[in-house]
Amino acid sequence: MNHPTKISVSALLLFTLLSTYRALGMDLNEAFDRLKTIPEDYSSFGTICERVGKLELEEFFPAYEYEILIGVEYRYNSRILGELDLVVFRRSDGEAIMITEVKCSSSFKRALEKAHGQLQRFVSAISSGKDIKIYLKKDRSRVFRIDQFDENPEILTMSQKYGTRAGFDLEIGLSLEQARDLRDRLVRCQFKKQCPSIAKYSYKKVP
């Protein structure tokens, strides 16, 4: 069942987000200082942009009201269908209000096409009527219901800096070169054991 009041609140948040987001992008040093304390596999370039995107979204979605998760995976039977990069959940009722696909790439055009395709795959999956399992990739005991996605969450794309000129909805404050530099700095920091390395995933069986 849709809740008009909740949807309008989401729309207001989105308007604020889209109108002010790009002015608040963090710089390279701030991103490094924030991420160096978070254990993660920073050798994966996609992880960098997802993590920076999450940090920037947290400026708009306070933790006491919203939870922002990275890597929400979904499957049908034993087949993994895809993964959502960033999902914003409302804490009061667990409803997803925003789904964002993050792509940092040398080709905005190809990245945007891929992002749209992945988002459409999820929409088609949960609309299929099939028993789709949705869970947090890093902790598969954290399971979500399909009806947590039934209030028309905002579906957005995010890229590195300047991506909005190519059609992306949002962009992080770092250019592609800066994102690569950030990855290298974080990997070196972990190699020197000056930053925490990735914690073990708790791959529990999906109910």
Side-chain angles (χ1 to χ4, degrees):
M1 178 181 297
N2 286 336
H3 301 278
T5 300
K6 293 177 181 176
I7 290 176
S8 65
V9 169
S10 176
L12 178 59
L13 284 170
L14 179 65
F15 175 79
T16 303
L17 183 67
L18 293 176
S19 61
T20 63
Y21 184 88
R22 290 187 290 277
L24 297 178
M26 64 179 58
D27 63 23
L28 178 59
N29 290 329
E30 180 184 359
F32 176 75
D33 288 339
R34 297 280 296 277
L35 293 182
K36 69 181 182 181
T37 62
I38 302 174
E40 184 58 274
D41 179 12
Y42 290 117
S43 63
S44 172
F45 184 59
T47 299
I48 298 295
C49 294
E50 292 169 4
R51 280 288 179 180
V52 174
K54 180 177 185 292
L55 289 175
E56 294 190 5
L57 285 178
E58 286 171 353
E59 297 296 317
F60 297 89
F61 297 100
Y64 63 88
E65 285 188 73
Y66 303 96
E67 181 180 25
I68 305 175
L69 296 178
I70 295 176
V72 173
E73 199 167 74
Y74 60 102
R75 67 173 174 84
Y76 177 61
N77 291 332
S78 60
R79 180 189 173 198
I80 295 175
L81 300 177
E83 180 182 334
L84 306 175
D85 290 335
L86 294 173
V87 183
V88 181
F89 291 94
R90 192 167 50 220
R91 292 189 184 276
S92 62
D93 57 4
E95 191 70 24
I97 66 166
M98 181 180 292
I99 299 169
T100 304
E101 188 67 26
V102 184
K103 297 291 180 193
C104 287
S105 171
S106 58
S107 172
F108 285 128
K109 183 176 184 296
R110 288 197 302 270
L112 187 58
E113 289 174 352
K114 186 174 182 180
H116 283 154
Q118 290 173 321
L119 290 168
Q120 184 55 52
R121 185 185 309 139
F122 177 71
V123 172
S124 297
I126 63 172
S127 302
S128 67
K130 296 178 180 178
D131 183 21
I132 303 297
K133 299 295 185 183
I134 310 171
Y135 50 90
L136 188 62
K137 182 178 180 180
K138 291 186 179 180
D139 181 1
R140 295 182 177 181
S141 66
R142 181 78 186 275
V143 178
F144 307 97
R145 305 181 313 275
I146 290 179
D147 65 12
Q148 288 179 257
F149 297 82
D150 67 356
E151 289 189 12
N152 301 318
E154 304 295 345
I155 298 179
L156 305 175
T157 56
M158 178 187 288
S159 73
Q160 77 266 22
K161 196 171 183 179
Y162 308 122
T164 54
R165 300 176 185 177
F168 279 86
D169 299 304
L170 302 171
E171 60 185 50
I172 63 174
L174 304 181
S175 67
L176 190 64
E177 181 178 337
Q178 289 173 321
R180 288 172 174 160
D181 187 16
L182 176 60
R183 176 191 58 188
D184 293 345
R185 289 175 63 179
L186 288 165
V187 169
R188 284 197 301 269
C189 186
Q190 290 180 328
F191 180 76
K192 295 177 181 178
K193 301 188 183 304
Q194 296 172 344
C195 298
S197 298
I198 188 171
K200 294 292 184 182
Y201 286 7
S202 55
Y203 280 122
K204 301 176 182 178
K205 183 179 180 181
V206 180

PDB file of all heavy atoms in Angstrom, residues 62-93:
ATOM      1  N   PRO A  62      20.313  11.721   7.723  1.00  0.00           N
ATOM      2  CA  PRO A  62      20.902  11.524   9.054  1.00  0.00           C
ATOM      3  C   PRO A  62      20.686  10.101   9.567  1.00  0.00           C
ATOM      4  O   PRO A  62      19.630   9.498   9.361  1.00  0.00           O
ATOM      5  CB  PRO A  62      20.171  12.559   9.922  1.00  0.00           C
ATOM      6  CG  PRO A  62      18.925  12.899   9.175  1.00  0.00           C
ATOM      7  CD  PRO A  62      19.257  12.758   7.723  1.00  0.00           C
ATOM      8  N   ALA A  63      21.703   9.575  10.254  1.00  0.00           N
ATOM      9  CA  ALA A  63      21.703   8.179  10.680  1.00  0.00           C
ATOM     10  C   ALA A  63      20.572   7.843  11.645  1.00  0.00           C
ATOM     11  O   ALA A  63      20.141   6.694  11.720  1.00  0.00           O
ATOM     12  CB  ALA A  63      23.053   7.842  11.313  1.00  0.00           C
ATOM     13  N   TYR A  64      20.090   8.818  12.397  1.00  0.00           N
ATOM     14  CA  TYR A  64      19.016   8.513  13.336  1.00  0.00           C
ATOM     15  C   TYR A  64      17.675   8.285  12.631  1.00  0.00           C
ATOM     16  O   TYR A  64      16.746   7.724  13.210  1.00  0.00           O
ATOM     17  CB  TYR A  64      18.878   9.615  14.398  1.00  0.00           C
ATOM     18  CG  TYR A  64      18.493  10.972  13.859  1.00  0.00           C
ATOM     19  CD1 TYR A  64      17.159  11.332  13.687  1.00  0.00           C
ATOM     20  CD2 TYR A  64      19.471  11.911  13.538  1.00  0.00           C
ATOM     21  CE1 TYR A  64      16.810  12.580  13.196  1.00  0.00           C
ATOM     22  CE2 TYR A  64      19.132  13.160  13.049  1.00  0.00           C
ATOM     23  CZ  TYR A  64      17.806  13.483  12.871  1.00  0.00           C
ATOM     24  OH  TYR A  64      17.464  14.727  12.378  1.00  0.00           O
ATOM     25  N   GLU A  65      17.575   8.703  11.369  1.00  0.00           N
ATOM     26  CA  GLU A  65      16.339   8.504  10.613  1.00  0.00           C
ATOM     27  C   GLU A  65      16.479   7.504   9.471  1.00  0.00           C
ATOM     28  O   GLU A  65      15.500   6.865   9.080  1.00  0.00           O
ATOM     29  CB  GLU A  65      15.863   9.833  10.022  1.00  0.00           C
ATOM     30  CG  GLU A  65      15.239  10.785  11.008  1.00  0.00           C
ATOM     31  CD  GLU A  65      14.636  11.986  10.299  1.00  0.00           C
ATOM     32  OE1 GLU A  65      13.577  11.831   9.659  1.00  0.00           O
ATOM     33  OE2 GLU A  65      15.228  13.074  10.361  1.00  0.00           O
ATOM     34  N   TYR A  66      17.696   7.380   8.942  1.00  0.00           N
ATOM     35  CA  TYR A  66      17.899   6.554   7.744  1.00  0.00           C
ATOM     36  C   TYR A  66      19.119   5.648   7.907  1.00  0.00           C
ATOM     37  O   TYR A  66      20.064   5.960   8.633  1.00  0.00           O
ATOM     38  CB  TYR A  66      18.111   7.442   6.519  1.00  0.00           C
ATOM     39  CG  TYR A  66      16.980   8.403   6.277  1.00  0.00           C
ATOM     40  CD1 TYR A  66      17.054   9.718   6.742  1.00  0.00           C
ATOM     41  CD2 TYR A  66      15.821   8.003   5.602  1.00  0.00           C
ATOM     42  CE1 TYR A  66      16.010  10.609   6.528  1.00  0.00           C
ATOM     43  CE2 TYR A  66      14.771   8.882   5.395  1.00  0.00           C
ATOM     44  CZ  TYR A  66      14.876  10.176   5.862  1.00  0.00           C
ATOM     45  OH  TYR A  66      13.839  11.052   5.663  1.00  0.00           O
ATOM     46  N   GLU A  67      19.073   4.536   7.189  1.00  0.00           N
ATOM     47  CA  GLU A  67      20.215   3.635   7.114  1.00  0.00           C
ATOM     48  C   GLU A  67      20.614   3.512   5.651  1.00  0.00           C
ATOM     49  O   GLU A  67      19.771   3.224   4.795  1.00  0.00           O
ATOM     50  CB  GLU A  67      19.866   2.262   7.675  1.00  0.00           C
ATOM     51  CG  GLU A  67      21.035   1.287   7.640  1.00  0.00           C
ATOM     52  CD  GLU A  67      20.684  -0.075   8.209  1.00  0.00           C
ATOM     53  OE1 GLU A  67      19.487  -0.429   8.189  1.00  0.00           O
ATOM     54  OE2 GLU A  67      21.599  -0.781   8.646  1.00  0.00           O
ATOM     55  N   ILE A  68      21.887   3.725   5.358  1.00  0.00           N
ATOM     56  CA  ILE A  68      22.391   3.608   3.988  1.00  0.00           C
ATOM     57  C   ILE A  68      23.269   2.370   3.911  1.00  0.00           C
ATOM     58  O   ILE A  68      24.274   2.266   4.626  1.00  0.00           O
ATOM     59  CB  ILE A  68      23.194   4.853   3.574  1.00  0.00           C
ATOM     60  CG1 ILE A  68      22.358   6.124   3.769  1.00  0.00           C
ATOM     61  CG2 ILE A  68      23.641   4.734   2.121  1.00  0.00           C
ATOM     62  CD1 ILE A  68      23.114   7.411   3.508  1.00  0.00           C
ATOM     63  N   LEU A  69      22.890   1.440   3.064  1.00  0.00           N
ATOM     64  CA  LEU A  69      23.614   0.180   2.944  1.00  0.00           C
ATOM     65  C   LEU A  69      24.279   0.060   1.584  1.00  0.00           C
ATOM     66  O   LEU A  69      23.724   0.471   0.561  1.00  0.00           O
ATOM     67  CB  LEU A  69      22.674  -1.003   3.166  1.00  0.00           C
ATOM     68  CG  LEU A  69      22.052  -1.106   4.565  1.00  0.00           C
ATOM     69  CD1 LEU A  69      21.105  -2.297   4.627  1.00  0.00           C
ATOM     70  CD2 LEU A  69      23.135  -1.227   5.631  1.00  0.00           C
ATOM     71  N   ILE A  70      25.460  -0.537   1.581  1.00  0.00           N
ATOM     72  CA  ILE A  70      26.193  -0.822   0.356  1.00  0.00           C
ATOM     73  C   ILE A  70      26.088  -2.319   0.060  1.00  0.00           C
ATOM     74  O   ILE A  70      26.306  -3.142   0.944  1.00  0.00           O
ATOM     75  CB  ILE A  70      27.681  -0.437   0.505  1.00  0.00           C
ATOM     76  CG1 ILE A  70      27.835   1.070   0.699  1.00  0.00           C
ATOM     77  CG2 ILE A  70      28.481  -0.893  -0.704  1.00  0.00           C
ATOM     78  CD1 ILE A  70      29.267   1.508   0.953  1.00  0.00           C
ATOM     79  N   GLY A  71      25.771  -2.661  -1.186  1.00  0.00           N
ATOM     80  CA  GLY A  71      25.791  -4.058  -1.593  1.00  0.00           C
ATOM     81  C   GLY A  71      24.595  -4.866  -1.133  1.00  0.00           C
ATOM     82  O   GLY A  71      24.731  -5.807  -0.340  1.00  0.00           O
ATOM     83  N   VAL A  72      23.409  -4.526  -1.628  1.00  0.00           N
ATOM     84  CA  VAL A  72      22.206  -5.311  -1.367  1.00  0.00           C
ATOM     85  C   VAL A  72      22.015  -6.242  -2.565  1.00  0.00           C
ATOM     86  O   VAL A  72      21.758  -5.794  -3.675  1.00  0.00           O
ATOM     87  CB  VAL A  72      20.973  -4.413  -1.157  1.00  0.00           C
ATOM     88  CG1 VAL A  72      19.700  -5.252  -1.049  1.00  0.00           C
ATOM     89  CG2 VAL A  72      21.161  -3.540   0.087  1.00  0.00           C
ATOM     90  N   GLU A  73      22.171  -7.516  -2.322  1.00  0.00           N
ATOM     91  CA  GLU A  73      22.147  -8.512  -3.400  1.00  0.00           C
ATOM     92  C   GLU A  73      20.766  -9.151  -3.480  1.00  0.00           C
ATOM     93  O   GLU A  73      20.045  -9.231  -2.476  1.00  0.00           O
ATOM     94  CB  GLU A  73      23.208  -9.584  -3.118  1.00  0.00           C
ATOM     95  CG  GLU A  73      23.619 -10.418  -4.308  1.00  0.00           C
ATOM     96  CD  GLU A  73      24.878 -11.226  -4.009  1.00  0.00           C
ATOM     97  OE1 GLU A  73      24.788 -12.217  -3.261  1.00  0.00           O
ATOM     98  OE2 GLU A  73      25.952 -10.848  -4.517  1.00  0.00           O
ATOM     99  N   TYR A  74      20.388  -9.639  -4.649  1.00  0.00           N
ATOM    100  CA  TYR A  74      19.104 -10.321  -4.789  1.00  0.00           C
ATOM    101  C   TYR A  74      19.251 -11.509  -5.732  1.00  0.00           C
ATOM    102  O   TYR A  74      20.085 -11.502  -6.638  1.00  0.00           O
ATOM    103  CB  TYR A  74      18.004  -9.360  -5.258  1.00  0.00           C
ATOM    104  CG  TYR A  74      18.251  -8.702  -6.600  1.00  0.00           C
ATOM    105  CD1 TYR A  74      17.611  -9.148  -7.760  1.00  0.00           C
ATOM    106  CD2 TYR A  74      19.114  -7.605  -6.716  1.00  0.00           C
ATOM    107  CE1 TYR A  74      17.828  -8.530  -8.990  1.00  0.00           C
ATOM    108  CE2 TYR A  74      19.332  -6.986  -7.933  1.00  0.00           C
ATOM    109  CZ  TYR A  74      18.694  -7.454  -9.056  1.00  0.00           C
ATOM    110  OH  TYR A  74      18.909  -6.846 -10.279  1.00  0.00           O
ATOM    111  N   ARG A  75      18.445 -12.531  -5.481  1.00  0.00           N
ATOM    112  CA  ARG A  75      18.557 -13.757  -6.269  1.00  0.00           C
ATOM    113  C   ARG A  75      17.203 -14.434  -6.410  1.00  0.00           C
ATOM    114  O   ARG A  75      16.256 -14.156  -5.658  1.00  0.00           O
ATOM    115  CB  ARG A  75      19.546 -14.722  -5.631  1.00  0.00           C
ATOM    116  CG  ARG A  75      19.103 -15.299  -4.287  1.00  0.00           C
ATOM    117  CD  ARG A  75      20.056 -16.369  -3.828  1.00  0.00           C
ATOM    118  NE  ARG A  75      19.772 -16.860  -2.487  1.00  0.00           N
ATOM    119  CZ  ARG A  75      18.878 -17.799  -2.207  1.00  0.00           C
ATOM    120  NH1 ARG A  75      18.143 -18.325  -3.167  1.00  0.00           N
ATOM    121  NH2 ARG A  75      18.687 -18.194  -0.956  1.00  0.00           N
ATOM    122  N   TYR A  76      17.142 -15.342  -7.347  1.00  0.00           N
ATOM    123  CA  TYR A  76      15.965 -16.196  -7.517  1.00  0.00           C
ATOM    124  C   TYR A  76      16.458 -17.628  -7.507  1.00  0.00           C
ATOM    125  O   TYR A  76      17.291 -18.013  -8.331  1.00  0.00           O
ATOM    126  CB  TYR A  76      15.240 -15.888  -8.824  1.00  0.00           C
ATOM    127  CG  TYR A  76      14.057 -16.791  -9.089  1.00  0.00           C
ATOM    128  CD1 TYR A  76      12.975 -16.821  -8.213  1.00  0.00           C
ATOM    129  CD2 TYR A  76      14.029 -17.629 -10.200  1.00  0.00           C
ATOM    130  CE1 TYR A  76      11.896 -17.648  -8.445  1.00  0.00           C
ATOM    131  CE2 TYR A  76      12.952 -18.459 -10.448  1.00  0.00           C
ATOM    132  CZ  TYR A  76      11.887 -18.465  -9.563  1.00  0.00           C
ATOM    133  OH  TYR A  76      10.818 -19.294  -9.798  1.00  0.00           O
ATOM    134  N   ASN A  77      15.944 -18.427  -6.569  1.00  0.00           N
ATOM    135  CA  ASN A  77      16.453 -19.776  -6.338  1.00  0.00           C
ATOM    136  C   ASN A  77      17.954 -19.688  -6.066  1.00  0.00           C
ATOM    137  O   ASN A  77      18.383 -18.938  -5.213  1.00  0.00           O
ATOM    138  CB  ASN A  77      16.114 -20.694  -7.509  1.00  0.00           C
ATOM    139  CG  ASN A  77      14.606 -20.972  -7.591  1.00  0.00           C
ATOM    140  OD1 ASN A  77      13.912 -20.940  -6.571  1.00  0.00           O
ATOM    141  ND2 ASN A  77      14.098 -21.236  -8.785  1.00  0.00           N
ATOM    142  N   SER A  78      18.773 -20.381  -6.804  1.00  0.00           N
ATOM    143  CA  SER A  78      20.216 -20.352  -6.548  1.00  0.00           C
ATOM    144  C   SER A  78      20.950 -19.360  -7.434  1.00  0.00           C
ATOM    145  O   SER A  78      22.169 -19.205  -7.346  1.00  0.00           O
ATOM    146  CB  SER A  78      20.805 -21.756  -6.787  1.00  0.00           C
ATOM    147  OG  SER A  78      20.589 -22.163  -8.130  1.00  0.00           O
ATOM    148  N   ARG A  79      20.225 -18.637  -8.279  1.00  0.00           N
ATOM    149  CA  ARG A  79      20.853 -17.726  -9.237  1.00  0.00           C
ATOM    150  C   ARG A  79      20.866 -16.300  -8.704  1.00  0.00           C
ATOM    151  O   ARG A  79      19.822 -15.724  -8.414  1.00  0.00           O
ATOM    152  CB  ARG A  79      20.105 -17.770 -10.565  1.00  0.00           C
ATOM    153  CG  ARG A  79      20.691 -16.848 -11.626  1.00  0.00           C
ATOM    154  CD  ARG A  79      19.793 -16.778 -12.831  1.00  0.00           C
ATOM    155  NE  ARG A  79      20.251 -15.781 -13.794  1.00  0.00           N
ATOM    156  CZ  ARG A  79      19.496 -15.272 -14.757  1.00  0.00           C
ATOM    157  NH1 ARG A  79      18.254 -15.687 -14.913  1.00  0.00           N
ATOM    158  NH2 ARG A  79      19.991 -14.368 -15.578  1.00  0.00           N
ATOM    159  N   ILE A  80      22.067 -15.731  -8.578  1.00  0.00           N
ATOM    160  CA  ILE A  80      22.195 -14.325  -8.187  1.00  0.00           C
ATOM    161  C   ILE A  80      21.844 -13.464  -9.398  1.00  0.00           C
ATOM    162  O   ILE A  80      22.450 -13.592 -10.459  1.00  0.00           O
ATOM    163  CB  ILE A  80      23.619 -14.014  -7.699  1.00  0.00           C
ATOM    164  CG1 ILE A  80      23.909 -14.796  -6.416  1.00  0.00           C
ATOM    165  CG2 ILE A  80      23.772 -12.510  -7.453  1.00  0.00           C
ATOM    166  CD1 ILE A  80      25.334 -14.655  -5.919  1.00  0.00           C
ATOM    167  N   LEU A  81      20.873 -12.588  -9.229  1.00  0.00           N
ATOM    168  CA  LEU A  81      20.404 -11.759 -10.336  1.00  0.00           C
ATOM    169  C   LEU A  81      21.129 -10.421 -10.426  1.00  0.00           C
ATOM    170  O   LEU A  81      21.266  -9.858 -11.508  1.00  0.00           O
ATOM    171  CB  LEU A  81      18.899 -11.512 -10.200  1.00  0.00           C
ATOM    172  CG  LEU A  81      18.004 -12.764 -10.207  1.00  0.00           C
ATOM    173  CD1 LEU A  81      16.540 -12.362  -9.999  1.00  0.00           C
ATOM    174  CD2 LEU A  81      18.166 -13.535 -11.506  1.00  0.00           C
ATOM    175  N   GLY A  82      21.560  -9.901  -9.301  1.00  0.00           N
ATOM    176  CA  GLY A  82      22.220  -8.605  -9.337  1.00  0.00           C
ATOM    177  C   GLY A  82      22.486  -8.066  -7.940  1.00  0.00           C
ATOM    178  O   GLY A  82      22.230  -8.727  -6.935  1.00  0.00           O
ATOM    179  N   GLU A  83      23.011  -6.862  -7.916  1.00  0.00           N
ATOM    180  CA  GLU A  83      23.369  -6.218  -6.657  1.00  0.00           C
ATOM    181  C   GLU A  83      23.086  -4.718  -6.758  1.00  0.00           C
ATOM    182  O   GLU A  83      23.398  -4.090  -7.772  1.00  0.00           O
ATOM    183  CB  GLU A  83      24.853  -6.453  -6.358  1.00  0.00           C
ATOM    184  CG  GLU A  83      25.341  -5.828  -5.078  1.00  0.00           C
ATOM    185  CD  GLU A  83      26.834  -6.061  -4.858  1.00  0.00           C
ATOM    186  OE1 GLU A  83      27.372  -7.063  -5.386  1.00  0.00           O
ATOM    187  OE2 GLU A  83      27.457  -5.218  -4.180  1.00  0.00           O
ATOM    188  N   LEU A  84      22.499  -4.161  -5.713  1.00  0.00           N
ATOM    189  CA  LEU A  84      22.233  -2.729  -5.633  1.00  0.00           C
ATOM    190  C   LEU A  84      23.384  -2.071  -4.882  1.00  0.00           C
ATOM    191  O   LEU A  84      23.751  -2.503  -3.787  1.00  0.00           O
ATOM    192  CB  LEU A  84      20.913  -2.473  -4.904  1.00  0.00           C
ATOM    193  CG  LEU A  84      19.688  -3.210  -5.461  1.00  0.00           C
ATOM    194  CD1 LEU A  84      18.471  -2.953  -4.569  1.00  0.00           C
ATOM    195  CD2 LEU A  84      19.399  -2.795  -6.895  1.00  0.00           C
ATOM    196  N   ASP A  85      23.964  -1.032  -5.450  1.00  0.00           N
ATOM    197  CA  ASP A  85      25.151  -0.425  -4.858  1.00  0.00           C
ATOM    198  C   ASP A  85      24.841   0.303  -3.553  1.00  0.00           C
ATOM    199  O   ASP A  85      25.482   0.067  -2.534  1.00  0.00           O
ATOM    200  CB  ASP A  85      25.802   0.544  -5.854  1.00  0.00           C
ATOM    201  CG  ASP A  85      26.435  -0.183  -7.024  1.00  0.00           C
ATOM    202  OD1 ASP A  85      26.804  -1.365  -6.873  1.00  0.00           O
ATOM    203  OD2 ASP A  85      26.554   0.434  -8.106  1.00  0.00           O
ATOM    204  N   LEU A  86      23.881   1.226  -3.583  1.00  0.00           N
ATOM    205  CA  LEU A  86      23.517   2.005  -2.405  1.00  0.00           C
ATOM    206  C   LEU A  86      22.005   2.005  -2.239  1.00  0.00           C
ATOM    207  O   LEU A  86      21.278   2.324  -3.191  1.00  0.00           O
ATOM    208  CB  LEU A  86      23.995   3.458  -2.532  1.00  0.00           C
ATOM    209  CG  LEU A  86      25.507   3.715  -2.554  1.00  0.00           C
ATOM    210  CD1 LEU A  86      25.773   5.182  -2.862  1.00  0.00           C
ATOM    211  CD2 LEU A  86      26.131   3.333  -1.225  1.00  0.00           C
ATOM    212  N   VAL A  87      21.542   1.656  -1.062  1.00  0.00           N
ATOM    213  CA  VAL A  87      20.105   1.694  -0.777  1.00  0.00           C
ATOM    214  C   VAL A  87      19.889   2.470   0.515  1.00  0.00           C
ATOM    215  O   VAL A  87      20.531   2.196   1.530  1.00  0.00           O
ATOM    216  CB  VAL A  87      19.501   0.280  -0.638  1.00  0.00           C
ATOM    217  CG1 VAL A  87      17.988   0.370  -0.420  1.00  0.00           C
ATOM    218  CG2 VAL A  87      19.811  -0.571  -1.861  1.00  0.00           C
ATOM    219  N   VAL A  88      18.995   3.443   0.472  1.00  0.00           N
ATOM    220  CA  VAL A  88      18.646   4.229   1.654  1.00  0.00           C
ATOM    221  C   VAL A  88      17.327   3.694   2.209  1.00  0.00           C
ATOM    222  O   VAL A  88      16.304   3.687   1.504  1.00  0.00           O
ATOM    223  CB  VAL A  88      18.497   5.729   1.314  1.00  0.00           C
ATOM    224  CG1 VAL A  88      18.154   6.525   2.583  1.00  0.00           C
ATOM    225  CG2 VAL A  88      19.765   6.266   0.667  1.00  0.00           C
ATOM    226  N   PHE A  89      17.360   3.238   3.458  1.00  0.00           N
ATOM    227  CA  PHE A  89      16.161   2.731   4.129  1.00  0.00           C
ATOM    228  C   PHE A  89      15.725   3.714   5.214  1.00  0.00           C
ATOM    229  O   PHE A  89      16.564   4.286   5.931  1.00  0.00           O
ATOM    230  CB  PHE A  89      16.438   1.377   4.801  1.00  0.00           C
ATOM    231  CG  PHE A  89      16.667   0.245   3.851  1.00  0.00           C
ATOM    232  CD1 PHE A  89      17.950  -0.097   3.457  1.00  0.00           C
ATOM    233  CD2 PHE A  89      15.595  -0.487   3.349  1.00  0.00           C
ATOM    234  CE1 PHE A  89      18.172  -1.150   2.581  1.00  0.00           C
ATOM    235  CE2 PHE A  89      15.807  -1.536   2.470  1.00  0.00           C
ATOM    236  CZ  PHE A  89      17.099  -1.874   2.082  1.00  0.00           C
ATOM    237  N   ARG A  90      14.424   3.882   5.342  1.00  0.00           N
ATOM    238  CA  ARG A  90      13.862   4.699   6.415  1.00  0.00           C
ATOM    239  C   ARG A  90      13.760   3.828   7.669  1.00  0.00           C
ATOM    240  O   ARG A  90      13.168   2.741   7.634  1.00  0.00           O
ATOM    241  CB  ARG A  90      12.485   5.208   5.990  1.00  0.00           C
ATOM    242  CG  ARG A  90      11.891   6.284   6.866  1.00  0.00           C
ATOM    243  CD  ARG A  90      10.697   6.917   6.161  1.00  0.00           C
ATOM    244  NE  ARG A  90       9.769   5.907   5.666  1.00  0.00           N
ATOM    245  CZ  ARG A  90       9.133   5.977   4.487  1.00  0.00           C
ATOM    246  NH1 ARG A  90       9.309   6.998   3.696  1.00  0.00           N
ATOM    247  NH2 ARG A  90       8.305   5.031   4.112  1.00  0.00           N
ATOM    248  N   ARG A  91      14.336   4.258   8.766  1.00  0.00           N
ATOM    249  CA  ARG A  91      14.377   3.433   9.966  1.00  0.00           C
ATOM    250  C   ARG A  91      13.000   3.214  10.592  1.00  0.00           C
ATOM    251  O   ARG A  91      12.749   2.176  11.208  1.00  0.00           O
ATOM    252  CB  ARG A  91      15.316   4.053  11.009  1.00  0.00           C
ATOM    253  CG  ARG A  91      16.790   4.026  10.604  1.00  0.00           C
ATOM    254  CD  ARG A  91      17.678   4.435  11.762  1.00  0.00           C
ATOM    255  NE  ARG A  91      19.080   4.507  11.383  1.00  0.00           N
ATOM    256  CZ  ARG A  91      19.912   3.467  11.350  1.00  0.00           C
ATOM    257  NH1 ARG A  91      19.457   2.267  11.672  1.00  0.00           N
ATOM    258  NH2 ARG A  91      21.176   3.630  11.009  1.00  0.00           N
ATOM    259  N   SER A  92      12.101   4.172  10.466  1.00  0.00           N
ATOM    260  CA  SER A  92      10.808   4.068  11.145  1.00  0.00           C
ATOM    261  C   SER A  92       9.989   2.875  10.692  1.00  0.00           C
ATOM    262  O   SER A  92       9.262   2.275  11.477  1.00  0.00           O
ATOM    263  CB  SER A  92      10.004   5.358  10.931  1.00  0.00           C
ATOM    264  OG  SER A  92       9.747   5.558   9.545  1.00  0.00           O
ATOM    265  N   ASP A  93      10.098   2.512   9.408  1.00  0.00           N
ATOM    266  CA  ASP A  93       9.306   1.386   8.902  1.00  0.00           C
ATOM    267  C   ASP A  93      10.103   0.433   8.001  1.00  0.00           C
ATOM    268  O   ASP A  93       9.546  -0.518   7.464  1.00  0.00           O
ATOM    269  CB  ASP A  93       8.075   1.889   8.139  1.00  0.00           C
ATOM    270  CG  ASP A  93       8.451   2.810   6.976  1.00  0.00           C
ATOM    271  OD1 ASP A  93       9.658   2.998   6.716  1.00  0.00           O
ATOM    272  OD2 ASP A  93       7.518   3.342   6.326  1.00  0.00           O
TER     273      ASP A  93
END
